[in-house]
Amino acid sequence: MDLTYTPDEEDFRARLREWLGTALPTLPPKPSPDDWPARRAYDLGWQRRLHDAGYADVHWDASPTTRLIFLEETEKAGAPYVGANFVGLLHAGPTIAAEGTDGQRARWLPPILRGEEVWCQGFSEPEAGSDLAALRTRAWRDGDHYVVTGSKIWTSHAEVADWCELLVRTDPSAPKHRGITWLALPMDTPGITVRPLRTLAGSAEFAEVFLDEVRVPLANRVGDENDGWRVTMVTLSFERGTAFAGEVVACRRVLTELALQARENGRWDDPALRRRLGRLNAEFRALWRLTQWNVSAAEASGGVPGAGGSVFKLRYSHARQELYDAAADVLGPDRLDLDRPWTLDRLSSLSYTIAAGTSQIQHSIVAERILGLPKGR
Amino acid sequence: MRFRLTDDQRALRDGVRQLLARRFDAEALRAAVRDPVRLDRALWRALGDAGFFALRLPEADGGVGLGLPEAVLVFEEAGRALLPGPLAATHLAAGAVPGAAEGETVVTAVDGGLAEWLTEADVVRGDTAGAVPLRSLDPLTPLHRVPGAAAAPDPVAVLLTAAEQLGTAVRVCELAAQHARAREQFGRPIGAFQAVAHLCAGMLVRAETARVAVYAAAVTADPADIAAARLLADEAAVHGARDCLQVHGGMGFTWESEVHLHLKRAWVRTQRAGGITESEELLAADLVAGTP
């Protein structure tokens, strides 16, 4: 067991830190969360900077440990998140890299890395929810095109996306995990309607996407027809333990800010609150160690993910909600003030036990895949 | 950064697990519960021979020359097996008290207002004046109440206690999952019911979170990491043992079942110094350390 990094890894960290020190002071001001075009420009601008400095493909080609260092250092320095580039960089890109043809790789990967094109994710559907494979959006062949009709939901960045990684049902008679196909859909194709969806935090974070006889070239299919579920599973595991690494670093910083704020406003004198913050310190220390543990396991197994991701996600999503509940208690009456950033963070943390597989789904995964309990209902 | 067990560490853990399975199996556990006040000296010497107590002593002093990471792996196994005796106190006395390293001398210590195995111990560290025996909740841990102010706990003792709690947390999760796979109700294994499955999954999540906290604290030996390990391991052991009892249903409430022994031992360990309040306060202070 070792928590020190190799000289090469430390060298990477030092060079990155130095570069961040020069790059971040010249960053333009952060756009308002609701101004999607401005957010797109901001996030892609940052991706271009990373590309020019040689860090564009760190999510694709670097070892999990190097990637962990990247996430740790960029978060510590307060660098922007991948933001609008999230799906392209962390999901569609790796899918195309692993399953696409040479031509598809040459067409789609460089613009993602250079920060030129934004992707969104057309997976979730209103009728499917946690049962992703129950999707109903239909596609049938018409000459050298698929014709797609159906609807998607919870699609982040849809309003400003150039492409959508789209799962469609190409064989309705097959078992539900078969008969699904992965398509790259240009978002300017006729027949697409994007309707923003307002969340309880007040922001238009997501959109609904309606597809009415949308024509997608057969050449845009990644992987074989009816093999889209396997193609998708290849990438759902791509992040190999680092999915929330940057966020854990951020939560640890917030926790320290909370403690200092509590000391300033007198709440620190309440032993119950103080001890709660102490317990959260234990929690986020452990979550960081769990990240390092999962990354080390991924590295040892050549990148094959375990169910460790579910353990992490369950614990993290809950801890994040506890953190912002504690923040509310530190704030006192200001907890109801939407202009306090912790108030908005508290609202958005409510999604963490739902998004990317609810806590109930994750518990079932742990029970079945790690503990070997029989499949339940 | 390679935060996982090395081959040597894996071999050590497996070796200790085999030794304990041989020397302290289910029958030995039953026998110990029936005749609880005697400590098995032959077992203690066998632990000494295996290097359990001399693990961290330098080889030049007749020790094994290993570190805290190896020690927590060994203590995790002790926790798993419900091994009785003042293990941490004797381990910490190796090199300072003659015979402790070899398992010839049983050493206990005053800790958190209590002393475990006081009458069986050959050497006691700390002031036991006025010690009064309790009717111990844990049939495998005789206890004395000891008056006087508690000394600041040795961080290594806190960490080794956390490692034992981790062993309990892992073991009760295994027991619960085994039972949930085997026990049938309403015509199906109870583990197929989500209410039961999710209880078991929660146990595993807490145990694995405690595991990384304990292992990391063993690598860094940082006081805040140790306090975090202690908090999370206490939670995983106590909450896990209670959930294990629940999964076992009515049988879990009987003396025959092994589950109550795990819960009672976990409760005993939470009472040792460096407990919940102290750990939480230490971790709170850590958040504002270095700022005026």
Side-chain angles (χ1 to χ4, degrees), chain A residues 33-356:
Chain A
D34 275 329
D35 188 347
W36 276 100
R39 280 178 69 175
R40 174 191 156 108
Y42 181 86
D43 293 341
L44 291 186
W46 176 244
Q47 178 64 23
R48 260 192 305 281
R49 300 278 294 272
L50 288 170
H51 179 266
D52 293 344
Y55 295 112
D57 60 354
V58 72
H59 296 288
W60 295 2
D61 287 343
S63 73
T65 301
T66 304
R67 203 164 162 239
L68 185 69
I69 294 170
F70 177 84
L71 291 164
E72 186 182 7
E73 291 300 325
T74 46
E75 176 51 47
K76 271 187 182 161
Y81 292 110
V82 282
N85 215 22
F86 178 85
V87 173
L89 205 56
L90 300 183
H91 209 276
T95 305
I96 295 160
E99 300 287 329
T101 63
D102 287 347
Q104 289 174 333
R105 282 196 280 263
R107 165 63 190 90
W108 285 316
L109 299 187
I112 292 173
L113 288 180
R114 288 196 300 260
E116 291 165 0
E117 288 180 348
V118 166
W119 286 66
C120 63
Q121 187 177 74
F123 284 13
S124 297
E125 294 190 9
E127 299 291 320
S130 292
D131 188 6
L132 179 59
L135 63 91
R136 289 181 184 176
T137 293
R138 282 276 289 120
W140 57 93
R141 278 177 186 244
D142 180 24
D144 55 0
H145 279 75
Y146 287 106
V147 181
V148 181
T149 291
S151 71
K152 299 289 175 176
I153 196 169
W154 318 123
T155 312
S156 309
H157 321 131
E159 290 169 89
V160 293
D162 305 287
W163 294 89
C164 177
E165 52 166 355
L166 188 71
L167 290 183
V168 294
R169 186 160 300 285
T170 34
D171 183 358
S173 62
K176 69 177 181 180
H177 290 91
R178 318 246 167 87
I180 293 173
T181 300
W182 199 105
L183 300 177
L185 164 72
M187 287 298 283
D188 56 1
T189 314
I192 300 176
T193 308
V194 174
R195 185 193 297 165
L197 205 57
R198 193 167 144 102
T199 72
L200 61 76
S203 65
E205 196 65 37
F206 307 118
E208 286 179 282
V209 177
F210 300 93
L211 305 151
D212 181 18
E213 302 205 347
V214 175
R215 296 180 70 82
V216 186
L218 295 186
N220 285 19
R221 186 187 71 223
V222 173
D224 290 335
E225 188 170 282
N226 299 328
D227 196 28
W229 185 256
R230 186 193 61 78
V231 172
T232 300
M233 288 304 117
V234 167
T235 38
L236 280 182
S237 56
F238 174 72
E239 288 168 294
R240 291 172 297 184
T242 57
F244 298 95
E247 293 190 25
V248 172
V249 178
C251 284
R252 293 188 68 178
R253 194 186 55 225
V254 169
L255 183 58
T256 303
E257 286 166 10
L258 275 182
L260 296 175
Q261 171 86 56
R263 225 173 37 166
E264 230 165 74
N265 70 13
R267 297 286 287 130
W268 192 246
D269 297 334
D270 173 359
L273 180 72
R274 206 168 55 228
R275 288 177 56 186
R276 248 170 94 194
L277 296 180
R279 188 166 273 278
L280 282 165
N281 188 2
E283 193 68 35
F284 283 103
R285 276 169 184 265
L287 284 163
W288 181 246
R289 300 313 186 187
L290 204 50
T291 302
Q292 290 178 314
W293 184 261
N294 287 343
V295 162
S296 296
E299 230 155 42
S301 68
V304 180
S310 290
V311 171
F312 180 89
K313 200 208 168 236
L314 272 167
R315 193 87 188 192
Y316 172 66
S317 53
H318 183 68
R320 190 179 171 99
Q321 291 173 356
E322 296 271 306
L323 174 70
Y324 287 106
D325 281 348
D329 283 354
V330 169
L331 285 171
D334 282 354
R335 76 181 67 183
L336 302 179
D337 180 357
L338 278 172
D339 284 335
R340 300 300 291 247
W342 292 338
T343 309
L344 266 182
D345 287 329
R346 189 182 189 201
L347 292 177
S348 65
S349 77
L350 296 172
S351 73
Y352 275 70
T353 45
I354 300 170

